[in-house]
Structure formats: structure tokens, C-alpha cells
Amino acid sequence: MTMEQTIENKPLNSEYIFIVRCGEVALKGMNKPYFERMLLERIKKLLRKFDGVRAYRHEGLIYVRADKSQDKQAIIKEIGKVFGVASISPAMECESNMESIGRTAVEYMLEAIEERGIKTFKVEAKRADKNFPVKSPDIARQIGAAVLKGCKVLRVDVHDPDVRLFVDVRHDLSYIYQDKIPGYGGLPLGTNGKGMTLLSGGIDSPVATWMMAKRGMLIEAVHFHSYPYTSQRAQEKVEELASLVATYCGRFRMHVINLLPIQEQIVQNCPEEETTILVRRFMMKIAERLARKTDCDMLITGENLGQVASQTAEALVVTDASVTMPVMRPLIGMDKVDIMELAQEIGTYEKSIEPYEDCCTVFLPKHPATKPKLDRILHSESKLDCEALIQAACESEEIIEIRPA
């Protein structure tokens, strides 16, 4: 019996049990226990909404137990959102002896026949307990024979079975399961620093934020608007997008900045074709200042090479020259179609395409510079009181607490 069961003295299979496997966490060597602890804490935090659910580590895996009154699929869905989870398997457990394993395998397959109408199967076995007296190939053969005897409608198909029945033999208990439901992988939140993401209402920046959170990075966000040219509903859209992202990366703060005074100064004092790149540089400078104030290690943007005028190679070089903090662009080499597909997968796409104004479209020049020169941009900026404009923007910030949708 496991420690958890010994304490609670519950009969086997009186609860749902889920085996949760780590992704890259398993490759972390001496740091593996730290990453596993972080992953476990994140799983526990996300499952607080369910009563009677517990998660714990044991023999290199994470187990989740839940009262059978809970929604099984909802629990699987929540676990699957946790970065660092490679796969989840709803399982049945039994004592680690061949008679108990065979009996449980038959029970499991009878349920599968009733639920899915399966006709063929294959058993795959492994021994985490190398002292177990039966070797893996023999476990598979003997359990396969027990299933054939107990489930008369089934036959073995080793090439293309309806069900692959996995038998995982461990020191105290063994586990029977068929599905390995994929998670997102990545690294547990909080294991890889903190980033300030420039979050707009478009498709790209929510995906970029999600991708950096997947690498274990905590998130802080800044959103720029140009009220009254952009509406309150446009900002609400961004808040809703941020909440969708927060379902994966947890609660975070979003700093809201009115960019309009800066845009007006640029339009009045600088060449029209440079408007876009100059605005972008101010956004980066403000984001960097907020990042340093909130202990962020880097900036995150949704820029994609060549997608728009401000995202050509030359424009990105000029943009980066406005800050000293590293800038992460996880979408830089992706095709737009791939970004859209990922947005659909994580649930942000439909909200992103709602037709509301964006500050980047305010005062948009007819012919923006696609190959800006840094010396010319710096000359244009010299006509502005950059420090005063940045300071005023930062002082006007509104901070919104973003919670998961």
C-alpha cells in the first residue's frame, strides 16, 4: 500500500487516480527534485477548485487522487494545462502480485469493452521494481492470457490493437491504464525567471506570452492604449485575453499605459514615415522601466520577422537599440498560420480576432519606414523630451490584477 493509502486506509480504486508524468523535468539531473516540487505545487494550486482532490510525489511520478463524485474529464483538463506535465493517465491500481494484476486488468478491460466496444488489445508491461520475480515480457504474456480468459470477446493484435493495455509494476502497488493523454510539456512556472510581456489585443502577443510561460517564466504584462482613439471595450478585450492566458500561467499584473500623449508628440515633431518605429521604441522603453521596477529579467514581445513594417530585420535592430534589457521573441521564425493554429489550441484566437481598435493603428503612416536607420531615428527622438514623456506615461499607469478565466 502507498503511504497515502496507509494513512487514509481507503480501499483500492475507491477514488479516481491519475498518473502524471514529467516532461523535461526528468532530465534535470541534480536539480530534478526542485523542478518536481515546483510542478507538484502548481498542480495542487490548479486543483484547489475541486473538493477531495490530492496530489503527491512517489517513486519518480506524480499521482493525483480524486473523489469519484468529481468530474473526471475536468480534472484531466486542468492537469493538462500545467506546464511541465508530459502526459496524464487515468489508471486502476492493485497490489503488486500477478494474481491481483491479472484480476484488475480483466476488470479494466471489461469496462473498456462496455464503454468503447473494443475488440483487440495488446499488453505492454514494465517493472519499476526490478526485484519483482516476473520479468516484463512474461508479465505481458501472463496478463494477456488472463484478459483473454476473462474477456471472451477480445483477441490479441500486436500490430494495431484497439487498446494498448499498460501494466506498470512498482514496489508497493501496480497500475493498469490505456491512455497517455498528452500535456503541454515545458517547465514548471517559476523555475525560469520573470518576464514583462507587451500584451496587445492581437493574435501574436498572447501566444508569445503563453510560450514563455511554458518555459517556466513568471509573467508581468504591460498594455498600451490610446484613449479616446481606442475604446474602453478594446481594453476590456485585452483583459479578457489576459485572463485566458492566465488559465495556464496563473494570476499576474497588467500595467495599463495611455500612449496617446507620446504619439501626438511624435506626429507633431517627427517624419511621418518614422512614426511606427518611434512609437515602438517608446513602448519598449516604458516596458523596460516597468520591468526593472517589478524585478523582471527580460521583455517579451509577439513580433514575427517580416510580418509588418516594424518587424523587418532592420526595424527590430533599431527597436532593440532603445533598451538594454534582453528581448525575447518566441514567435520570430514562425509562420503566421502556425501562430494562428496555436492561438486556437490555447483558446485565445476567437477573442483576438474581435474587431476592436489597437493603439498601433492610431496615426498609422501611409508609407512606414521598413529599413529605418538608427542615426536618423535618434535624430528624430532628439526633438522630443523623451524622459519627460516616459515619466509621465509611467506615472499615469493603471494596474489590473489578471485572474484565470
Side-chain angles (χ1 to χ4, degrees):
M1 304 287 282
T2 67
M3 183 181 297
E4 291 264 326
Q5 289 177 309
T6 301
I7 293 172
E8 300 194 19
N9 196 31
K10 289 187 177 182
L12 296 176
N13 300 308
S14 62
E15 304 171 293
Y16 292 130
I17 182 166
F18 308 93
I19 300 172
V20 181
R21 300 174 192 82
C22 305
E24 292 180 54
V25 171
L27 306 176
K28 290 300 178 181
M30 297 293 289
N31 292 323
K32 182 180 176 182
Y34 163 72
F35 281 86
E36 287 180 338
R37 285 195 302 272
M38 294 292 285
L39 179 59
L40 178 59
E41 288 307 309
R42 180 61 186 158
I43 291 172
K44 287 181 176 179
K45 187 173 183 179
L46 215 61
L47 294 179
R48 284 176 187 169
K49 64 183 72 174
F50 301 100
D51 294 327
V53 177
R54 304 175 320 287
Y56 60 95
R57 287 190 299 158
H58 187 61
E59 293 187 342
L61 294 173
I62 291 175
Y63 296 87
V64 174
R65 294 178 179 274
D67 187 274
K68 286 198 172 180
S69 63
Q70 296 295 334
D71 185 333
K72 180 179 178 181
Q73 294 305 317
I75 292 172
I76 292 171
K77 184 177 180 180
E78 289 301 312
I79 298 171
K81 292 177 182 176
V82 178
F83 295 134
V85 171
S87 65
I88 309 122
S89 292
M92 291 181 71
E93 60 187 354
C94 58
E95 295 178 355
S96 288
N97 61 70
M98 291 302 293
E99 181 181 355
S100 179
I101 295 170
R103 185 170 57 250
T104 305
V106 170
E107 180 184 349
Y108 187 95
M109 294 303 284
L110 286 171
E111 289 185 10
I113 292 168
E114 182 177 349
E115 291 175 2
R116 297 170 51 185
I118 63 171
K119 296 181 179 179
T120 62
F121 76 102
K122 176 186 178 181
V123 178
E124 297 185 13
K126 68 174 183 178
R127 297 181 305 161
D129 178 10
K130 298 305 179 185
N131 293 320
F132 190 75
V134 185
K135 294 183 178 180
S136 297
D138 293 326
I139 294 173
R141 281 194 292 270
Q142 291 182 39
I143 299 306
V147 170
L148 286 172
K149 184 177 179 180
C151 306
K152 303 296 186 182
V153 298
L154 293 180
R155 59 184 176 84
V156 173
D157 184 343
V158 297
H159 300 294
D160 187 26
D162 295 335
V163 165
R164 292 181 184 273
L165 183 65
F166 295 97
V167 178
D168 187 357
V169 179
R170 297 192 165 258
H171 291 84
D172 41 22
L173 292 172
S174 294
Y175 298 88
I176 309 292
Y177 57 91
Q178 61 177 300
D179 296 318
K180 291 185 178 180
I181 302 165
Y184 285 114
L187 297 172
L189 279 167
T191 60
N192 228 351
K194 184 179 179 184
M196 175 66 73
T197 185
L198 282 73
L199 191 62
S200 73
I203 295 171
D204 299 337
S205 60
V207 175
T209 304
W210 181 90
M211 289 180 70
M212 293 306 295
K214 181 183 173 183
R215 301 309 304 161
M217 181 163 283
L218 293 173
I219 296 299
E220 194 99 2
V222 56
H223 170 63
F224 297 95
H225 67 86
S226 302
Y227 184 81
Y229 288 91
T230 56
S231 65
Q232 179 61 33
R233 184 64 191 95
Q235 181 176 318
E236 291 171 359
K237 169 192 170 181
V238 176
E239 292 175 28
E240 291 165 8
L241 265 175
S243 292
L244 293 172
V245 175
T247 61
Y248 301 94
C249 64
R251 294 173 57 175
F252 62 88
R253 293 187 303 174
M254 185 167 74
H255 305 256
V256 180
I257 302 289
N258 188 348
L259 202 61
L260 184 59
I262 292 175
Q263 291 173 298
E264 289 175 333
Q265 286 297 308
I266 291 172
V267 169
Q268 292 171 17
N269 295 282
C270 303
E272 180 188 5
E273 67 274 10
E274 295 177 356
T275 301
T276 301
I277 193 68
L278 287 166
V279 168
R280 191 66 183 171
R281 280 171 58 87
F282 270 97
M283 293 168 71
M284 298 293 280
K285 290 176 181 181
I286 293 168
E288 181 180 42
R289 189 158 301 189
L290 295 172
R292 296 197 185 283
K293 187 174 69 173
T294 54
D295 297 320
C296 292
D297 303 296
M298 56 191 62
L299 304 179
I300 303 166
T301 80
E303 290 164 315
N304 174 250
L305 188 61
Q307 183 170 240
V308 294
S310 64
Q311 296 176 25
T312 63
E314 295 87 349
L316 294 178
V317 169
V318 172
T319 298
D320 279 358
S322 65
V323 295
T324 59
M325 184 171 277
V327 181
M328 296 292 107
R329 296 182 173 96
L331 310 184
I332 194 69
M334 294 179 66
D335 289 342
K336 187 66 175 185
V337 171
D338 296 330
I339 298 170
M340 291 166 63
E341 288 178 353
L342 185 49
Q344 289 173 329
E345 182 180 344
I346 67 176
T348 58
Y349 180 78
E350 293 300 326
K351 180 59 62 176
S352 290
I353 61 174
E354 289 182 1
Y356 290 101
E357 316 87 353
D358 184 275
C359 71
C360 294
T361 61
V362 176
F363 307 121
L364 191 66
K366 292 182 179 179
H367 303 288
T370 58
K371 296 184 178 182
K373 299 296 182 182
L374 182 57
D375 57 345
R376 294 180 184 176
I377 296 299
L378 292 174
H379 175 71
S380 296
E381 280 186 357
S382 69
K383 301 174 184 177
L384 307 171
D385 190 343
C386 295
E387 179 56 33
L389 288 169
I390 292 170
Q391 184 65 29
C394 290
E395 289 174 355
S396 69
E397 74 172 320
E398 175 190 3
I399 298 177
I400 299 174
E401 295 289 338
I402 301 297
R403 293 175 171 81

